Amino acid sequence: QVQLVESGGGLVQPGGSLRLSCAASGSAFSLYTMGWYRQAPGKQRELVATFTSSGATNYADSVKGRFAISRDNPKNMVYLQMNSLKLEDTALYYCNARWGLRDYWGQGTLVTVSE
C-alpha cells in the first residue's frame, strides 16, 4: 500500500512558477512509475508528466518546455516544477504511483492561475 500526499499548490499569476511536491509512504518507491495528472473544472483528468523507475520521463505536449518532473527515491518524493504558468494550467493536480496492477492516487493540490 502506498499513500501519496501532495503539496505546493496555490494561486499564481500568469507567467509565474510553482513547485508541487508529493510525499509517498510505503515500500519499493523506486519501482513505481510516478506521475502527475490534473483535472480542470468540467474536464477529464489528464496526464501531465511521468517518471519511470528506469529514469524515463514523459510530458503532455501542453506542458513540454515549461514543466519538469523529478524524483528523489531515498526521500520517497516526486516533484513537479511548473514555470511560465498559463491560465489553462488551472486544475487540481494529482500525484500517481503505478507498478503493475498497483495504482495509487493522492487527494490532489489545487493550482489556480489568475490575474
Side-chain angles (χ1 to χ4, degrees):
Q1 186 79 9
V2 173
Q3 292 184 326
L4 304 171
V5 179
E6 303 97 335
S7 62
L11 175 64
V12 63
Q13 292 185 332
S17 298
L18 280 176
R19 187 193 194 207
L20 305 184
S21 299
C22 173
S25 64
S27 60
F29 174 80
S30 64
L31 298 179
Y32 285 81
T33 288
M34 299 301 300
W36 288 97
Y37 291 74
R38 67 186 181 187
Q39 187 167 15
K43 295 187 177 182
Q44 291 187 331
R45 191 175 298 187
E46 63 176 4
L47 168 73
V48 176
T50 59
F51 198 130
T52 71
S53 58
S54 60
T57 57
N58 181 53
Y59 295 91
D61 287 343
S62 59
V63 307
K64 282 181 181 177
R66 300 189 298 122
F67 291 11
I69 187 171
S70 60
R71 65 191 293 171
D72 186 335
N73 286 339
K75 294 184 178 179
N76 281 19
M77 296 290 296
V78 63
Y79 307 97
L80 185 68
Q81 178 66 44
M82 304 187 296
N83 299 325
S84 302
L85 282 161
K86 303 177 180 179
L87 296 175
E88 54 263 41
D89 294 319
T90 294
L92 192 59
Y93 284 72
Y94 295 92
C95 182
N96 173 258
R98 189 168 298 164
W99 177 32
L101 297 179
R102 299 172 177 87
D103 189 13
Y104 303 104
W105 294 88
Q107 293 299 307
T109 185
L110 183 63
V111 173
T112 303
V113 185
S114 180
E115 297 284 357

